[in-house]
Amino acid sequence: MFCAPLWAQNEMEGVRIWPSPTNTRVVFDLAEAPEYSYFTLRNPTRLVIDLANTRQQLDLNQIQNDSDLISRLRYSTPKDKQSVRIVLELNQAADTQIFSLPPTAPYGDRLVIDLGQHDQSPPQIVKQQAQATNRDIIVAVDAGHGGEDPGSIGRAGSYEKNVVLSIAKMLAKRIDDTPGMKSVLIRTGDYYVDLNRRTELARRSKADLLVSVHADAYTTPQPSGASVWVLSMRRANSELGRWLENTEKHSQLLGGAAEVIQDTSSERYLTQALLDMSMDHSLSTSYELSRDILKEMGQITKLHKKTPQAASLAVLTSPDIPSILVETGFISNPREEKNLNWATFRQNMADAIFGGIQKHFKRRPPDGTLWAKLKRENRTHKVSRGESLSLLAQRYNVPVSRIKAANNLESDMVRIGQVLTIPN
């Protein structure tokens, strides 16, 4: 094996491979900004990368590779004595995007290779179907950050991306265990999903709601408490909101695609697009839902703010899907970092978020859903003094057992002021 002379200036410090369901990201950690070129070969399919003025000191055989797309990572004969040539042997043709990223904590200089599944099939025209009736309420659950982007890092070394993925999976299970509801996990493992693609995936799933789960952070350890964020059509309405907006840009630098780095007009484009959108329904629904979730979270943890907060965050910008961002606590606060690493607390947080979602959709179920049908069919009755289940069953000509089942009652006891669902 050929080794470049030690007087080559740059050095590969590590290689990380991040597979996802649709693409694989390979990240080369370098001591300095890379000088690179690349080309592809076929039969078999290979991607060849030349790093100029770089030492070859890293054992590529020790790199963990869980990607179905990459079969092997190896060195080849470099084009000159000061270069390193790396070959990615691929199992199939892939759409390739390569770009460098500047140092952004916790990483230094990087060369990023995005390999996407190569779709050779012609586009299909999908005939619009009539809206299904009695369908499930679909909730897209988005675990923030992932892969190259760890999110905020606690003082004990906890990564936000890991904590929120656990909560998101717990929330998705609660949703899937509820008749008439279905979850869609935007991120199912440790990989990055572009911020705009998160809303695109929710839309493809015909989601009625997008919930993005995060763990907050700040420059000092004192701030604490959970919060819920909705989209602001203007700049953030608080210092913390401005901090979140800057954090989102940081995430794009860590995990986003090359366009984020190269297109400096992207923020102006987003702002103009937002101004052109009609989002009244989504915004009002998001705000109302946020209040329900805050009430539930307030029963299990401290709230940083008792009312929904607003910031201009990309994951909230879908004009047709109510979208909220839930901050489950401050990972920068030592006590809350400990809580977020406690499985029981994460489950309680998932239950609280679910409780708010359930409360909202019981009150305002989307058209065409099973819950909307049940609401039309069912009546409610507020229990008054002297009333009992047997009396109500006789009045509405409904068996006691059906009233108990509709209200999840384990006994025949009812209390004054209790609102009961009376099935037809």
Side-chain angles (χ1 to χ4, degrees), residues 41 46-49 60 72-76 85-89:
L41 297 171
R46 287 152 291 167
L47 172 64
V48 182
I49 303 161
L60 296 182
R72 187 185 176 198
L73 195 66
R74 62 176 173 85
Y75 290 111
S76 185
R85 173 165 287 181
I86 301 166
V87 179
L88 280 72
E89 297 182 359

Side-chain angles (χ1 to χ4, degrees), residues 24-290:
T24 292
R25 166 164 289 188
V26 183
V27 182
F28 291 89
D29 292 305
L30 298 152
E32 298 178 3
E35 299 176 42
Y36 65 95
S37 60
Y38 66 95
F39 58 93
T40 57
L41 297 171
R42 292 194 294 179
N43 300 322
T45 305
R46 287 152 291 167
L47 172 64
V48 182
I49 303 161
D50 287 313
L51 294 173
N53 199 27
T54 302
R55 302 173 194 159
Q56 178 181 310
Q57 292 183 318
L58 195 65
D59 185 357
L60 296 182
N61 292 322
Q62 300 301 314
I63 304 302
Q64 181 177 347
N65 176 22
D66 298 321
S67 172
D68 293 332
L69 187 56
I70 302 173
S71 62
R72 187 185 176 198
L73 195 66
R74 62 176 173 85
Y75 290 111
S76 185
T77 305
K79 62 182 180 180
D80 59 54
K81 294 182 178 181
Q82 288 76 46
S83 298
V84 170
R85 173 165 287 181
I86 301 166
V87 179
L88 280 72
E89 297 182 359
L90 306 179
N91 291 319
Q92 65 183 63
D95 296 322
T96 304
Q97 186 177 34
I98 300 181
F99 54 96
S100 60
L101 290 176
T104 312
Y107 302 117
D109 283 292
R110 288 151 292 159
L111 180 66
V112 179
I113 303 162
D114 278 339
L115 301 169
Q117 292 180 352
H118 189 59
D119 187 6
Q120 296 179 328
S121 60
Q124 295 180 341
I125 299 175
V126 180
K127 184 177 180 180
Q128 184 70 29
Q129 300 290 330
Q131 187 179 26
T133 57
N134 303 335
R135 65 175 180 86
D136 291 337
I137 296 172
I138 300 175
V139 181
V141 183
D142 168 43
H145 310 281
E148 175 74 354
D149 173 19
S152 300
I153 302 174
R155 296 198 168 198
S158 308
Y159 280 13
E160 178 185 359
K161 66 175 183 177
N162 298 330
V163 168
V164 299
L165 180 59
S166 174
I167 296 173
K169 288 182 175 180
M170 291 174 174
L171 173 58
K173 186 177 187 308
R174 284 299 313 270
I175 292 168
D176 290 335
D177 288 345
T178 304
M181 296 188 78
K182 176 186 174 184
S183 73
V184 174
L185 275 171
I186 300 299
R187 175 168 76 86
T188 59
D190 188 13
Y191 53 86
Y192 183 79
V193 180
D194 182 80
L195 296 175
N196 292 321
R197 180 162 171 74
R198 296 176 193 241
T199 57
E200 178 188 338
L201 290 171
R203 183 175 294 108
R204 285 185 183 180
S205 302
K206 296 181 171 58
D208 298 289
L209 171 67
L210 172 61
V211 180
S212 190
V213 183
H214 289 250
D216 226 330
Y218 201 57
T219 52
T220 61
Q222 287 79 20
S224 62
S227 56
V228 183
W229 294 78
V230 296
L231 179 67
S232 170
M233 298 299 283
R234 298 175 294 277
R235 300 300 295 172
N237 60 1
S238 70
E239 182 181 354
L240 183 59
R242 289 188 291 273
W243 170 263
L244 277 177
E245 290 174 2
N246 290 332
T247 301
E248 184 177 80
K249 292 178 183 177
H250 180 80
S251 292
Q252 289 177 312
L253 287 171
L254 284 171
E259 302 91 80
V260 175
I261 308 301
Q262 296 170 353
D263 183 11
T264 56
S265 67
S266 59
E267 187 173 357
R268 291 197 301 274
Y269 173 81
L270 174 61
T271 302
Q272 183 60 46
L274 285 172
L275 291 174
D276 294 338
M277 290 176 181
S278 175
M279 302 181 70
D280 289 347
H281 171 71
S282 291
L283 287 173
S284 60
T285 301
S286 301
Y287 190 87
E288 182 179 305
L289 175 63
S290 297

Side-chain angles (χ1 to χ4, degrees), residues 376-393:
R376 287 193 303 270
E377 291 179 349
N378 292 334
R379 298 155 288 178
T380 59
H381 179 91
K382 189 173 183 179
V383 178
S384 302
R385 186 180 300 276
E387 291 182 328
S388 64
L389 277 185
S390 58
L391 181 64
L392 295 177

